[in-house]
Amino acid sequence: MKELITRLSNAHGISGYEDEIREIIKAELEDWADEIKIDNMGNLICTKNGGEPEIMVAAHMDEIGFVVKYIDDKGFIRIAPIGGWFSQIALAQRVVLYGKKKIYGVIGCKPPHLMKDEERKKGIEIKDMFVDIGASSKDEALELGINVGTPVALDREVVELSNGRITGKAFDNRVGVAVMIEAVKRANADVTVHAVATVQEEVGLKGARTSAFALEPTAAIAVDTCVAADFPGSESAHMDVKLGKGAAITVVDASGRGLIASPKVLRWLTETADKYNIPYQLEVAEGGTTDATAIHLTKAGIPAGVVSVPARYIHSPVEVVDIKDVESAVGIVARAIETSKNYF
């Protein structure tokens, strides 16, 4: 799992520009699937045919990033955020821009040495940052294939921490993608399974909505990450989701504006985990939601649940997960596919 997560995380694919990561996922699933297609939105839909019910396992493959919005005469690049950013995290990061080839740069701003006292006390906003690719002019940047609309992704590699934990960028949701891939491969059931790597989740759950509409599965599981609340400063969230205690099964997210999981779906996931002695945690979240929200509102309604891997420092280049939680998520999803006939 570490090797798979590393390959997925180190690849790039911001919302709307998921081509590179999609090819990696496709290669992982092409021997498993009976049918593979890429729909009009760019979702990768891999289907293993079987009987009823039809189970959709969705994991979004996009990551937050930026796009170029302006290049000045000196070759410095202004960027617009794609997805949810806490601006202070973006500053001083190394990035990769997709021009004619991969072009590397760094995000900079006016240094504190040149700031007035009142400026030093304020947070730097993304609109006041720029990307330095080493170009000396706008024409030089254009010659490298950088233009308005060029996607910009964080450039950070996975490394291991202590106690079976790893850190890297885009674990939201490359960890979820890894869980989806491994779970569908491990499941041994004569049901139809749709493994869907969705696009543009970070900017509105878009790919989940269109793919679920086309497939209209019997039930669905969205695989994602969720906020762990076990580090300094997180106590005020009053959440009991911790690293190393198992995957999280969502009861409610976004204070009900997102998903309120149906009792039937909760029984399916929790009873399956209990039956196979797979550790899990229950999550009630006031902020954030997942592809399951779009899926369960599709057509006449599709029963949907969420299995998440707890993560620290989500939407940063140094997200942290515990491999034990990853394995827990794989187990719950794989076994839930197998038990789905008992519930749907």
Side-chain angles (χ1 to χ4, degrees):
M1 289 303 297
K2 288 180 183 178
E3 190 275 334
L4 177 57
I5 291 170
T6 297
R7 281 193 291 117
L8 293 169
S9 172
N10 289 355
H12 303 100
I14 73 166
S15 303
Y17 300 89
E18 297 92 350
D19 302 57
E20 179 181 322
I21 187 66
R22 181 171 54 236
E23 288 305 308
I24 296 173
I25 301 166
K26 182 181 177 183
E28 284 292 326
L29 288 173
E30 59 188 1
D31 290 338
W32 168 84
D34 295 316
E35 303 173 33
I36 293 181
K37 68 177 181 179
I38 299 169
D39 69 11
N40 291 335
M41 283 287 289
N43 298 301
L44 176 67
I45 302 173
C46 304
T47 299
K48 189 171 186 65
N49 295 318
E52 294 291 334
E54 293 190 26
I55 304 300
M56 176 182 183
V57 182
H60 76 87
M61 57 180 158
D62 60 315
E63 63 187 290
I64 62 172
F66 309 92
V67 292
V68 174
K69 71 173 184 177
Y70 174 74
I71 306 172
D72 71 18
D73 291 339
K74 295 180 179 179
F76 293 103
I77 297 165
R78 300 288 179 168
I79 51 178
I82 298 293
W85 278 96
F86 176 49
S87 61
Q88 302 309 292
I89 288 173
L91 187 60
Q93 296 297 332
R94 190 175 68 198
V95 293
V96 58
L97 299 83
Y98 280 72
K100 293 178 181 177
K101 59 180 181 179
K102 288 183 179 180
I103 304 296
Y104 293 91
V106 293
I107 298 178
C109 72
K110 182 198 293 187
H113 312 71
L114 302 180
M115 290 181 180
K116 297 177 181 179
D117 288 342
E118 58 269 23
E119 288 181 299
R120 293 193 191 99
K121 298 174 183 177
K122 298 178 181 178
I124 308 298
E125 298 182 35
I126 289 172
K127 68 181 180 64
D128 296 319
M129 301 176 193
F130 51 82
V131 175
D132 183 351
I133 61 170
S136 58
S137 68
K138 180 176 182 177
D139 287 342
E140 189 175 332
L142 293 173
E143 287 171 7
L144 291 169
I146 308 301
N147 208 331
V148 172
T150 296
V152 182
L154 291 179
D155 192 51
R156 185 70 69 101
E157 295 182 348
V158 173
V159 296
E160 292 191 32
L161 303 179
S162 300
N163 297 317
R165 293 168 179 179
I166 57 176
T167 181
K169 72 162 184 72
F171 282 3
D172 176 14
N173 185 39
R174 304 295 163 67
V175 166
V177 170
V179 169
M180 176 189 72
I181 290 169
E182 191 63 22
V184 299
K185 288 180 178 180
R186 292 187 193 181
N188 183 18
D190 57 350
V191 302
T192 297
V193 180
H194 304 287
V196 184
T198 63
V199 298
Q200 298 190 47
E201 188 268 0
E202 296 288 2
V203 290
L205 317 178
K206 298 175 185 178
R209 188 180 307 276
T210 58
S211 57
F213 188 95
L215 294 170
E216 198 172 3
T218 312
I221 300 172
V223 189
D224 213 313
T225 56
C226 66
V227 175
D230 60 350
F231 54 89
S234 64
E235 299 87 356
S236 61
H238 300 296
M239 292 175 60
D240 197 26
V241 177
K242 299 179 174 64
L243 260 61
K245 301 298 182 182
I249 296 173
T250 298
V251 181
V252 173
D253 64 25
S255 294
R257 298 183 304 277
L259 179 75
I260 301 175
S262 72
K264 184 177 184 179
V265 168
L266 285 177
R267 285 197 302 273
W268 174 35
L269 297 176
T270 59
E271 289 177 3
T272 296
D274 289 336
K275 177 180 179 180
Y276 291 96
N277 296 313
I278 303 170
Y280 66 91
Q281 308 173 74
L282 295 176
E283 181 202 23
V284 171
E286 296 179 36
T289 191
T290 73
D291 276 343
T293 292
I295 294 168
H296 93 289
L297 292 174
T298 297
K299 290 192 174 180
I302 296 168
V306 185
V307 175
S308 293
V309 176
R312 294 175 179 167
Y313 327 124
I314 282 178
H315 283 202
S316 84
V318 291
E319 296 171 346
V320 175
V321 299
D322 191 310
I323 291 298
K324 293 191 293 294
D325 299 330
V326 175
E327 289 291 349
S328 165
V330 170
I332 293 171
V333 175
R335 303 291 85 79
I337 292 169
E338 296 170 354
T339 62
S340 58
K341 277 191 173 182
N342 300 330
Y343 296 88
F344 302 100

